[in-house]
Amino acid sequence: MTLLERDRAHLWHPYTQMRSPVSPLPIVRAEGVYLYTEDGRRILDGISSWWVNIHGHCHPRLNRALADQAQRLEHVMFAGCTHAPAVDLAERLVAVLPPGLTRVFYSDNGSTAVEVAVKLAWQYWINQGQPRRKVFIGLEHAYHGDTVGAMSVSADSVFTKAFAPLLFPVSRVSDLSGLEAELERHGENVAAVMVEPMLQGAGGMIVWPAEFVAGVRRLCDRFGTLLIADEVLTGFGRTGKMFACEHAGINPDIICLSKALTGGYLPLGATVVTDAVFEAFLSTDHSRTFFHGHSFTANPLACAVALASLQLFDEMPVLEEVRRIERQLAAGLARVRDLPIVGDVRHIGAVGVVELAEPGGAKRSQGYTDQIGPRLAAACLERGLLLRPLGHVLYFMPPYVISPSEVEWALSQMFEVLEALPGR
Ligand SMILES: Cc1ncc(COP(=O)(O)O)c(C=O)c1O
């Protein structure tokens, strides 16, 4: 049996209708920005393997860090034990994060980083003697992950629809005046405001101005509530700054990290909080303890690779590369804007976005399930470019090691695919 036949017999892929799935790509190896298939194709990874890869696949330094750590300590539980990879990484994270974020709680992925943030905010107020602060406020189009708490803080969408009765209610706002009104309305019942700073990802690659993020911080301060920044996507340079909060010069009370934290190698989440949040859990009363953990909390292999990834930021002009990609996207996407099927073009850091419109210019309404997405993906893949549009939102989010000529090539493929689309 071929790999695909064996896959078909026993596997269940994420976000995939398994009745008639498009055959998955059989990937046998990867290097730099390229994936190589069993049948000999070379494909440019234009979405950084779900936004996680930044230094390229199979990077020699990260490979070495992983292999070296595996020789010493592969894993040990993190309650009652500690180890150098976890401590070294926490020190580095605190040094590079916006000021004030000093205490690192590890978990497994982006969704768990968000779950931890939600639970910490909830219990923080209980521990502070303000248990009525139970209301979470989030943005329209938010996406924070697929576990139940992370789905709750996410906006209604195809991802959450079937589970709506399971989720706790969250107030939704779409701008600063809406946020101000919700904060007024709920007053001292608000536990936290959660945002994806600068760039909302799965909700449609929506770019926000820095003034919005700064405004959210100001309002949280004015109303005395916590600000949670979900930087699972935006952290580690993706928007052109190490963390997206830096665009606005703000410091959140809680930040959620994952994806590129390990350079895209291994699953690891980190929820980092201020001294004030941490101190609210210090007590001789056990009920104030944060009773949360995972079998693989602070996995040494993942921490060692994450540390090596951060060292690459110190040694190489990584953020300059992101800004170089951003300049190239700004120039290269300009010509896409003129195509009649294109409704909007936007970019931030190493993310270029093309939002398609209906023929005639109206906004497309089907969202994530818009079948134009799979058609665009198939056409790009045929040309050797892996993209995974969010319905009618086509985006390019490559590893930062992509060369100028590879960016040029990828943009040309996107342009030609869009140009060939019917419906002007
Ligand atoms: C902003 C944001 N938060 C959380 C998540 C969830 O991360 P994970 O898929 O690792 O659970 C994602 C995933 O795309 C994300 O973009």
Side-chain angles (χ1 to χ4, degrees), residues 78-80 103-108 111-127 136 226 228 254-256 269-273 277-294 297:
F78 206 59
R103 201 53 78 155
V104 180
F105 192 98
Y106 291 116
S107 62
D108 297 347
S111 299
T112 56
V114 168
E115 293 286 343
V116 167
V118 166
K119 289 174 71 175
L120 280 175
W122 178 274
Q123 192 179 346
Y124 169 80
W125 290 115
I126 295 172
N127 288 358
F136 286 86
L226 297 174
I228 304 173
I254 301 179
I255 197 166
C256 307
T271 308
V272 190
V273 306
V277 172
F278 176 68
E279 280 160 16
F281 289 76
L282 304 180
S283 175
T284 50
D285 172 358
H286 284 300
S287 71
R288 287 175 164 236
T289 304
F290 188 50
F291 283 109
H292 184 109
H294 300 276
T297 295

Short mmCIF file of all heavy atoms in Angstrom, two decimals, residues 78-80 103-108 111-127 136 226 228 254-256 269-273 277-294 297:
data_model
loop_
_atom_site.label_atom_id
_atom_site.label_comp_id
_atom_site.label_asym_id
_atom_site.label_seq_id
_atom_site.Cartn_x
_atom_site.Cartn_y
_atom_site.Cartn_z
N PHE A 78 7.28 18.58 35.52
CA PHE A 78 7.71 19.92 35.94
C PHE A 78 7.10 20.34 37.27
O PHE A 78 7.35 21.45 37.73
CB PHE A 78 7.39 20.94 34.83
CG PHE A 78 8.31 22.13 34.87
CD1 PHE A 78 9.68 21.98 34.75
CD2 PHE A 78 7.81 23.41 35.05
CE1 PHE A 78 10.55 23.07 34.79
CE2 PHE A 78 8.66 24.52 35.08
CZ PHE A 78 10.02 24.35 34.96
N ALA A 79 6.30 19.50 37.90
CA ALA A 79 5.88 19.79 39.27
C ALA A 79 6.89 19.09 40.17
O ALA A 79 7.09 17.89 40.06
CB ALA A 79 4.48 19.25 39.54
N GLY A 80 7.57 19.86 40.98
CA GLY A 80 8.56 19.26 41.87
C GLY A 80 9.92 19.03 41.24
O GLY A 80 10.84 18.57 41.91
N ARG A 103 7.00 36.32 34.68
CA ARG A 103 6.79 34.99 35.24
C ARG A 103 6.21 34.08 34.16
O ARG A 103 5.16 34.36 33.60
CB ARG A 103 5.82 35.18 36.40
CG ARG A 103 5.79 34.12 37.42
CD ARG A 103 7.09 33.71 38.05
NE ARG A 103 7.63 34.57 39.07
CZ ARG A 103 8.45 34.15 40.04
NH1 ARG A 103 8.82 32.87 40.12
NH2 ARG A 103 8.93 35.01 40.91
N VAL A 104 6.92 32.98 33.87
CA VAL A 104 6.59 32.13 32.72
C VAL A 104 5.89 30.85 33.19
O VAL A 104 6.42 30.13 34.03
CB VAL A 104 7.88 31.74 31.97
CG1 VAL A 104 7.57 30.84 30.77
CG2 VAL A 104 8.66 32.98 31.54
N PHE A 105 4.71 30.60 32.63
CA PHE A 105 4.01 29.33 32.88
C PHE A 105 3.96 28.57 31.55
O PHE A 105 3.34 29.02 30.59
CB PHE A 105 2.58 29.61 33.39
CG PHE A 105 1.90 28.38 33.93
CD1 PHE A 105 1.87 28.12 35.29
CD2 PHE A 105 1.32 27.45 33.07
CE1 PHE A 105 1.26 26.97 35.80
CE2 PHE A 105 0.72 26.30 33.57
CZ PHE A 105 0.69 26.06 34.93
N TYR A 106 4.60 27.42 31.50
CA TYR A 106 4.67 26.66 30.25
C TYR A 106 3.46 25.75 30.07
O TYR A 106 2.91 25.22 31.04
CB TYR A 106 5.91 25.76 30.23
CG TYR A 106 7.22 26.48 30.13
CD1 TYR A 106 8.15 26.42 31.16
CD2 TYR A 106 7.56 27.22 28.99
CE1 TYR A 106 9.38 27.06 31.08
CE2 TYR A 106 8.80 27.86 28.90
CZ TYR A 106 9.70 27.78 29.94
OH TYR A 106 10.91 28.41 29.85
N SER A 107 3.08 25.55 28.80
CA SER A 107 2.10 24.52 28.47
C SER A 107 2.47 23.95 27.09
O SER A 107 3.65 23.97 26.74
CB SER A 107 0.67 25.07 28.53
OG SER A 107 0.50 26.09 27.58
N ASP A 108 1.48 23.49 26.33
CA ASP A 108 1.82 22.64 25.18
C ASP A 108 1.65 23.25 23.79
O ASP A 108 2.21 22.75 22.83
CB ASP A 108 0.94 21.38 25.20
CG ASP A 108 1.19 20.53 26.43
OD1 ASP A 108 2.18 20.77 27.12
OD2 ASP A 108 0.39 19.62 26.68
N SER A 111 -3.43 26.93 22.02
CA SER A 111 -4.72 26.85 22.72
C SER A 111 -4.52 26.72 24.23
O SER A 111 -5.23 27.36 25.01
CB SER A 111 -5.52 25.65 22.22
OG SER A 111 -5.79 25.78 20.84
N THR A 112 -3.54 25.91 24.63
CA THR A 112 -3.33 25.77 26.08
C THR A 112 -2.74 27.05 26.67
O THR A 112 -3.03 27.39 27.82
CB THR A 112 -2.42 24.57 26.43
OG1 THR A 112 -1.19 24.70 25.74
CG2 THR A 112 -3.08 23.25 26.07
N ALA A 113 -1.92 27.77 25.89
CA ALA A 113 -1.40 29.05 26.38
C ALA A 113 -2.57 30.00 26.66
O ALA A 113 -2.56 30.76 27.64
CB ALA A 113 -0.43 29.66 25.38
N VAL A 114 -3.60 29.93 25.80
CA VAL A 114 -4.79 30.78 25.97
C VAL A 114 -5.64 30.27 27.15
O VAL A 114 -6.11 31.07 27.98
CB VAL A 114 -5.61 30.83 24.66
CG1 VAL A 114 -6.98 31.43 24.89
CG2 VAL A 114 -4.85 31.61 23.59
N GLU A 115 -5.83 28.95 27.24
CA GLU A 115 -6.59 28.40 28.38
C GLU A 115 -5.98 28.84 29.69
O GLU A 115 -6.69 29.24 30.63
CB GLU A 115 -6.58 26.85 28.35
CG GLU A 115 -7.32 26.21 27.22
CD GLU A 115 -8.84 26.27 27.34
OE1 GLU A 115 -9.35 26.51 28.45
OE2 GLU A 115 -9.49 26.08 26.33
N VAL A 116 -4.66 28.75 29.76
CA VAL A 116 -3.96 29.14 30.99
C VAL A 116 -4.22 30.63 31.27
O VAL A 116 -4.50 31.01 32.42
CB VAL A 116 -2.45 28.84 30.86
CG1 VAL A 116 -1.65 29.52 31.97
CG2 VAL A 116 -2.20 27.33 30.87
N ALA A 117 -4.16 31.46 30.23
CA ALA A 117 -4.39 32.90 30.42
C ALA A 117 -5.79 33.16 30.96
O ALA A 117 -5.99 33.96 31.89
CB ALA A 117 -4.18 33.64 29.10
N VAL A 118 -6.78 32.48 30.38
CA VAL A 118 -8.17 32.67 30.80
C VAL A 118 -8.35 32.23 32.26
O VAL A 118 -8.93 32.94 33.09
CB VAL A 118 -9.12 31.88 29.87
CG1 VAL A 118 -10.52 31.78 30.45
CG2 VAL A 118 -9.15 32.52 28.48
N LYS A 119 -7.79 31.06 32.59
CA LYS A 119 -7.94 30.55 33.95
C LYS A 119 -7.18 31.42 34.96
O LYS A 119 -7.66 31.65 36.07
CB LYS A 119 -7.48 29.09 34.02
CG LYS A 119 -8.45 28.13 33.31
CD LYS A 119 -7.92 26.70 33.24
CE LYS A 119 -7.91 26.00 34.57
NZ LYS A 119 -7.51 24.56 34.41
N LEU A 120 -6.01 31.91 34.55
CA LEU A 120 -5.25 32.78 35.45
C LEU A 120 -6.02 34.07 35.72
O LEU A 120 -6.09 34.53 36.87
CB LEU A 120 -3.88 33.13 34.83
CG LEU A 120 -2.78 32.09 34.93
CD1 LEU A 120 -1.55 32.56 34.15
CD2 LEU A 120 -2.40 31.83 36.39
N ALA A 121 -6.59 34.66 34.66
CA ALA A 121 -7.32 35.92 34.84
C ALA A 121 -8.52 35.70 35.75
O ALA A 121 -8.80 36.50 36.65
CB ALA A 121 -7.77 36.46 33.48
N TRP A 122 -9.22 34.60 35.53
CA TRP A 122 -10.40 34.26 36.33
C TRP A 122 -10.02 34.13 37.81
O TRP A 122 -10.59 34.76 38.68
CB TRP A 122 -10.98 32.95 35.80
CG TRP A 122 -12.15 32.41 36.52
CD1 TRP A 122 -12.13 31.61 37.62
CD2 TRP A 122 -13.53 32.62 36.19
NE1 TRP A 122 -13.41 31.29 37.98
CE2 TRP A 122 -14.29 31.90 37.13
CE3 TRP A 122 -14.19 33.33 35.19
CZ2 TRP A 122 -15.68 31.87 37.11
CZ3 TRP A 122 -15.58 33.29 35.16
CH2 TRP A 122 -16.31 32.58 36.11
N GLN A 123 -8.99 33.30 38.07
CA GLN A 123 -8.63 33.04 39.47
C GLN A 123 -7.92 34.23 40.10
O GLN A 123 -8.00 34.43 41.33
CB GLN A 123 -7.75 31.77 39.56
CG GLN A 123 -7.59 31.29 41.01
CD GLN A 123 -6.77 30.04 41.12
OE1 GLN A 123 -6.50 29.34 40.14
NE2 GLN A 123 -6.34 29.74 42.35
N TYR A 124 -7.23 35.03 39.28
CA TYR A 124 -6.58 36.24 39.80
C TYR A 124 -7.58 37.09 40.56
O TYR A 124 -7.32 37.53 41.69
CB TYR A 124 -5.98 37.04 38.63
CG TYR A 124 -5.52 38.43 38.99
CD1 TYR A 124 -4.30 38.64 39.62
CD2 TYR A 124 -6.31 39.55 38.69
CE1 TYR A 124 -3.87 39.93 39.94
CE2 TYR A 124 -5.90 40.82 39.00
CZ TYR A 124 -4.68 41.01 39.63
OH TYR A 124 -4.27 42.29 39.95
N TRP A 125 -8.76 37.29 39.97
CA TRP A 125 -9.75 38.16 40.62
C TRP A 125 -10.36 37.48 41.84
O TRP A 125 -10.66 38.16 42.84
CB TRP A 125 -10.83 38.58 39.61
CG TRP A 125 -10.28 39.53 38.58
CD1 TRP A 125 -10.16 39.31 37.25
CD2 TRP A 125 -9.76 40.84 38.82
NE1 TRP A 125 -9.59 40.40 36.63
CE2 TRP A 125 -9.34 41.36 37.57
CE3 TRP A 125 -9.60 41.65 39.95
CZ2 TRP A 125 -8.78 42.63 37.42
CZ3 TRP A 125 -9.04 42.91 39.81
CH2 TRP A 125 -8.63 43.39 38.56
N ILE A 126 -10.52 36.17 41.79
CA ILE A 126 -11.00 35.45 43.00
C ILE A 126 -9.99 35.66 44.13
O ILE A 126 -10.35 36.03 45.25
CB ILE A 126 -11.20 33.95 42.70
CG1 ILE A 126 -12.31 33.76 41.68
CG2 ILE A 126 -11.49 33.17 43.99
CD1 ILE A 126 -12.46 32.33 41.17
N ASN A 127 -8.71 35.46 43.77
CA ASN A 127 -7.66 35.59 44.79
C ASN A 127 -7.55 37.03 45.30
O ASN A 127 -7.11 37.27 46.42
CB ASN A 127 -6.30 35.15 44.22
CG ASN A 127 -6.23 33.64 44.04
OD1 ASN A 127 -7.16 32.92 44.38
ND2 ASN A 127 -5.13 33.16 43.50
N PHE A 136 -15.40 38.29 30.27
CA PHE A 136 -14.30 38.45 29.32
C PHE A 136 -14.80 39.23 28.11
O PHE A 136 -15.94 39.03 27.66
CB PHE A 136 -13.76 37.09 28.87
CG PHE A 136 -12.95 36.40 29.92
CD1 PHE A 136 -13.56 35.61 30.89
CD2 PHE A 136 -11.57 36.57 29.99
CE1 PHE A 136 -12.83 34.98 31.89
CE2 PHE A 136 -10.82 35.95 30.97
CZ PHE A 136 -11.45 35.16 31.93
N LEU A 226 -7.63 43.49 33.39
CA LEU A 226 -6.42 42.89 32.81
C LEU A 226 -6.48 42.90 31.28
O LEU A 226 -7.55 42.71 30.70
CB LEU A 226 -6.28 41.44 33.28
CG LEU A 226 -6.10 41.20 34.78
CD1 LEU A 226 -6.12 39.69 35.08
CD2 LEU A 226 -4.78 41.80 35.27
N ILE A 228 -5.04 40.80 28.15
CA ILE A 228 -4.36 39.58 27.70
C ILE A 228 -4.02 39.75 26.22
O ILE A 228 -4.92 39.97 25.40
CB ILE A 228 -5.25 38.33 27.86
CG1 ILE A 228 -5.71 38.17 29.31
CG2 ILE A 228 -4.50 37.08 27.39
CD1 ILE A 228 -6.74 37.05 29.53
N ILE A 254 -0.83 39.88 30.65
CA ILE A 254 -0.62 38.46 30.36
C ILE A 254 -0.38 38.33 28.86
O ILE A 254 -1.08 38.96 28.06
CB ILE A 254 -1.88 37.63 30.74
CG1 ILE A 254 -2.22 37.80 32.23
CG2 ILE A 254 -1.70 36.16 30.39
CD1 ILE A 254 -3.47 37.05 32.69
N ILE A 255 0.62 37.55 28.48
CA ILE A 255 0.87 37.33 27.04
C ILE A 255 0.89 35.82 26.78
O ILE A 255 1.39 35.05 27.61
CB ILE A 255 2.19 38.01 26.60
CG1 ILE A 255 2.26 38.16 25.08
CG2 ILE A 255 3.42 37.26 27.10
CD1 ILE A 255 3.36 39.12 24.61
N CYS A 256 0.30 35.42 25.64
CA CYS A 256 0.26 34.00 25.26
C CYS A 256 1.20 33.78 24.08
O CYS A 256 1.11 34.49 23.08
CB CYS A 256 -1.15 33.61 24.81
SG CYS A 256 -2.42 34.02 26.00
N GLY A 269 3.89 25.89 24.63
CA GLY A 269 3.17 27.13 24.88
C GLY A 269 3.78 27.81 26.10
O GLY A 269 4.37 27.15 26.95
N ALA A 270 3.66 29.12 26.15
CA ALA A 270 4.09 29.85 27.35
C ALA A 270 3.09 30.97 27.60
O ALA A 270 2.72 31.69 26.66
CB ALA A 270 5.51 30.40 27.18
N THR A 271 2.65 31.09 28.84
CA THR A 271 1.80 32.21 29.24
C THR A 271 2.62 32.99 30.25
O THR A 271 3.03 32.43 31.27
CB THR A 271 0.49 31.69 29.88
OG1 THR A 271 -0.09 30.74 28.97
CG2 THR A 271 -0.48 32.82 30.13
N VAL A 272 2.93 34.23 29.91
CA VAL A 272 3.85 35.00 30.75
C VAL A 272 3.08 36.16 31.38
O VAL A 272 2.32 36.85 30.69
CB VAL A 272 5.06 35.52 29.93
CG1 VAL A 272 6.12 36.11 30.85
CG2 VAL A 272 5.66 34.39 29.09
N VAL A 273 3.26 36.35 32.69
CA VAL A 273 2.45 37.33 33.42
C VAL A 273 3.35 38.30 34.20
O VAL A 273 4.55 38.08 34.36
CB VAL A 273 1.48 36.63 34.40
CG1 VAL A 273 0.64 35.58 33.67
CG2 VAL A 273 2.20 35.99 35.58
N VAL A 277 0.20 39.84 38.80
CA VAL A 277 -0.65 38.67 38.59
C VAL A 277 -0.09 37.49 39.39
O VAL A 277 -0.82 36.81 40.13
CB VAL A 277 -0.77 38.32 37.09
CG1 VAL A 277 -1.48 36.98 36.89
CG2 VAL A 277 -1.49 39.44 36.34
N PHE A 278 1.21 37.28 39.27
CA PHE A 278 1.84 36.15 39.97
C PHE A 278 1.62 36.24 41.48
O PHE A 278 1.26 35.25 42.13
CB PHE A 278 3.34 36.15 39.63
CG PHE A 278 4.14 35.11 40.36
CD1 PHE A 278 3.96 33.76 40.08
CD2 PHE A 278 5.06 35.47 41.34
CE1 PHE A 278 4.69 32.79 40.74
CE2 PHE A 278 5.79 34.50 42.01
CZ PHE A 278 5.61 33.17 41.71
N GLU A 279 1.81 37.44 42.01
CA GLU A 279 1.76 37.59 43.48
C GLU A 279 0.37 37.31 44.05
O GLU A 279 0.24 36.91 45.20
CB GLU A 279 2.28 38.98 43.88
CG GLU A 279 3.81 38.98 43.87
CD GLU A 279 4.41 40.37 43.77
OE1 GLU A 279 3.67 41.35 44.02
OE2 GLU A 279 5.62 40.45 43.45
N ALA A 280 -0.65 37.48 43.22
CA ALA A 280 -2.01 37.22 43.71
C ALA A 280 -2.23 35.73 44.01
O ALA A 280 -3.23 35.36 44.64
CB ALA A 280 -3.04 37.69 42.68
N PHE A 281 -1.32 34.89 43.55
CA PHE A 281 -1.46 33.44 43.78
C PHE A 281 -0.60 32.97 44.96
O PHE A 281 -0.62 31.79 45.29
CB PHE A 281 -1.09 32.67 42.50
CG PHE A 281 -2.11 32.84 41.40
CD1 PHE A 281 -2.18 34.02 40.66
CD2 PHE A 281 -3.03 31.83 41.12
CE1 PHE A 281 -3.13 34.19 39.66
CE2 PHE A 281 -3.98 31.99 40.13
CZ PHE A 281 -4.04 33.17 39.39
N LEU A 282 0.16 33.88 45.56
CA LEU A 282 1.05 33.49 46.66
C LEU A 282 0.26 33.52 47.96
O LEU A 282 -0.32 34.56 48.31
CB LEU A 282 2.23 34.47 46.76
CG LEU A 282 3.08 34.62 45.49
CD1 LEU A 282 4.21 35.61 45.72
CD2 LEU A 282 3.63 33.27 45.04
N SER A 283 0.24 32.41 48.66
CA SER A 283 -0.57 32.36 49.88
C SER A 283 -0.27 31.08 50.65
O SER A 283 0.24 30.11 50.08
CB SER A 283 -2.05 32.38 49.51
OG SER A 283 -2.84 32.22 50.65
N THR A 284 -0.59 31.08 51.92
CA THR A 284 -0.55 29.82 52.68
C THR A 284 -1.86 29.06 52.49
O THR A 284 -1.98 27.91 52.89
CB THR A 284 -0.35 30.11 54.19
OG1 THR A 284 -1.31 31.09 54.57
CG2 THR A 284 1.06 30.62 54.46
N ASP A 285 -2.82 29.73 51.87
CA ASP A 285 -4.12 29.11 51.61
C ASP A 285 -4.06 28.37 50.26
O ASP A 285 -3.89 28.98 49.22
CB ASP A 285 -5.16 30.24 51.58
CG ASP A 285 -6.52 29.75 51.14
OD1 ASP A 285 -6.66 28.55 50.82
OD2 ASP A 285 -7.44 30.59 51.09
N HIS A 286 -4.20 27.03 50.31
CA HIS A 286 -4.02 26.24 49.09
C HIS A 286 -5.04 26.56 48.01
O HIS A 286 -4.78 26.33 46.83
CB HIS A 286 -4.04 24.74 49.41
CG HIS A 286 -2.78 24.28 50.05
ND1 HIS A 286 -1.56 24.39 49.41
CD2 HIS A 286 -2.52 23.77 51.27
CE1 HIS A 286 -0.60 23.94 50.22
NE2 HIS A 286 -1.16 23.57 51.36
N SER A 287 -6.17 27.08 48.40
CA SER A 287 -7.19 27.35 47.38
C SER A 287 -6.73 28.47 46.42
O SER A 287 -7.31 28.66 45.36
CB SER A 287 -8.52 27.75 48.03
OG SER A 287 -8.40 29.03 48.61
N ARG A 288 -5.67 29.19 46.79
CA ARG A 288 -5.17 30.25 45.89
C ARG A 288 -4.13 29.74 44.89
O ARG A 288 -3.65 30.47 44.04
CB ARG A 288 -4.52 31.35 46.71
CG ARG A 288 -5.52 32.20 47.44
CD ARG A 288 -4.78 33.19 48.31
NE ARG A 288 -5.67 34.24 48.74
CZ ARG A 288 -5.44 35.54 48.54
NH1 ARG A 288 -4.34 35.94 47.92
NH2 ARG A 288 -6.29 36.43 48.96
N THR A 289 -3.77 28.48 45.02
CA THR A 289 -2.78 27.88 44.11
C THR A 289 -3.36 27.78 42.70
O THR A 289 -4.57 27.59 42.54
CB THR A 289 -2.43 26.45 44.61
OG1 THR A 289 -2.00 26.57 45.96
CG2 THR A 289 -1.36 25.79 43.76
N PHE A 290 -2.53 27.89 41.69
CA PHE A 290 -2.99 27.68 40.32
C PHE A 290 -2.89 26.19 40.03
O PHE A 290 -1.81 25.67 39.75
CB PHE A 290 -2.16 28.50 39.34
CG PHE A 290 -2.72 28.46 37.93
CD1 PHE A 290 -4.06 28.71 37.68
CD2 PHE A 290 -1.88 28.18 36.85
CE1 PHE A 290 -4.58 28.68 36.39
CE2 PHE A 290 -2.40 28.15 35.56
CZ PHE A 290 -3.74 28.40 35.33
N PHE A 291 -4.03 25.51 40.11
CA PHE A 291 -4.04 24.06 39.91
C PHE A 291 -4.22 23.76 38.43
O PHE A 291 -5.31 23.48 37.96
CB PHE A 291 -5.16 23.42 40.75
CG PHE A 291 -4.80 23.30 42.20
CD1 PHE A 291 -5.40 24.11 43.15
CD2 PHE A 291 -3.82 22.40 42.62
CE1 PHE A 291 -5.05 24.01 44.50
CE2 PHE A 291 -3.47 22.29 43.96
CZ PHE A 291 -4.08 23.10 44.90
N HIS A 292 -3.14 23.85 37.71
CA HIS A 292 -3.17 23.59 36.27
C HIS A 292 -1.79 23.07 35.87
O HIS A 292 -0.77 23.56 36.36
CB HIS A 292 -3.48 24.89 35.50
CG HIS A 292 -3.61 24.69 34.03
ND1 HIS A 292 -4.82 24.77 33.37
CD2 HIS A 292 -2.69 24.37 33.08
CE1 HIS A 292 -4.64 24.54 32.08
NE2 HIS A 292 -3.35 24.29 31.88
N GLY A 293 -1.76 22.09 34.98
CA GLY A 293 -0.49 21.57 34.49
C GLY A 293 -0.73 20.53 33.43
O GLY A 293 -1.87 20.10 33.22
N HIS A 294 0.32 20.15 32.72
CA HIS A 294 0.20 19.14 31.67
C HIS A 294 1.37 18.16 31.81
O HIS A 294 2.44 18.54 32.27
CB HIS A 294 0.24 19.79 30.29
CG HIS A 294 -0.85 20.78 30.07
ND1 HIS A 294 -2.11 20.43 29.66
CD2 HIS A 294 -0.88 22.12 30.22
CE1 HIS A 294 -2.87 21.51 29.55
NE2 HIS A 294 -2.14 22.56 29.89
N THR A 297 4.46 19.68 30.42
CA THR A 297 4.82 21.06 30.78
C THR A 297 6.34 21.23 30.78
O THR A 297 7.05 20.44 31.41
CB THR A 297 4.26 21.40 32.19
OG1 THR A 297 2.84 21.38 32.14
CG2 THR A 297 4.73 22.78 32.64
#
